[in-house]
Amino acid sequence: MKFNQVITTLAFCCAANATWAQEAAPEPEQDAGQVLVHGQRPGPGMWKVSKDEHVLWVFGRYGPLPAKMEWRSHEVEAVLAKSQEYLAEPDASAKVGIWGGIKLAASLPQIWNIQKNPDGAVLKDVVSPETYQRWSTLKDKYMNQDDEVDRYRPFFAASKLYNAGLKHIGLSNKDEVGPAINKLAKQYKLKFTPSSVEVDLSDASKLLKEFNKSGLDDAACFSSTLARLEADIDHMRVRANAWAIGDIDMIRKLDYNDHEGTCRAALEGSAAFQSRPDLREARTKTREIWLHNAQQALENNTTTFAMLPLKEILSPTGLLTQLQAKGYKVVAPE
């Protein structure tokens, strides 16, 4: 089971109906001049990492993207066709086991309760009046028919509002690119190399209880999500379009708001999460494994393909920057 799926179940990323995935919301309404691209689009070109005659091509994944866009890149297909290996993104998987799965299933009512404020409180009771007014304005705009969400903890309320906002402007977090690339990699019989660690979550039901008891400090996550919907919604369209048509100059100029990072920090700062060293260290370990795998591939293969989040590629402390610091040549697409 994928780590993110179990973290979803545990409510470390999301729970029940409050997911970062697509949710029901009003039909998209788009302003003049902010129309999203539709149809088949290639995304950006690839970053070239090389050592002598050995090349690692890295494709930058991004989301949310236009809901009516279909991804296809002939350039990526050509690279996959001549590659010997496909390096997966850094990720962690979770080992639950049969008994752990049974106990987790028995905890489903508890999972549902985790997303709600304790003692029957509503959002108005747990955030400042000014923040609640901001919430109410955005809720009326994007999801005014849903009163149940006011009973959610700020983290989960923010998640549901964010997804409603995305759908309202015609964007989706559904991953169309990853499955398409995986299918092509299988077609060309590439060696698949994961960069993952396995976390033992056979005690998932115990973690749920600890999480429910300790809660989380999610005020910054809530406020950051509201701020993004207030000020960044049009920029999200611009970023999605820039990625879809491969406009590298525009991509470089754009600021990538990190409200997801703020929310993740709230979750990872919880007592339940911090009580587990293997959870705390998983992200760092998977990145170290990816770097090792990339260096091995550049040593052994003529051509290797990899995919990383665009934000990771553009980061001044990201994995490509780290490869460059080790002496590899990194060239961005034109």
Side-chain angles (χ1 to χ4, degrees), residues 3 6-7 10 94-96 100 199-204 207 276 279:
F3 180 68
V6 175
I7 294 303
L10 290 175
K95 179 182 177 183
V96 178
V199 179
D200 184 0
L201 287 180
S202 55
D203 62 344
L207 272 174
R276 289 287 302 271
L279 290 177

Side-chain angles (χ1 to χ4, degrees), residues 264-276:
R264 187 177 63 245
L267 294 167
E268 294 181 353
S270 68
F273 198 99
Q274 289 297 311
S275 69
R276 289 287 302 271

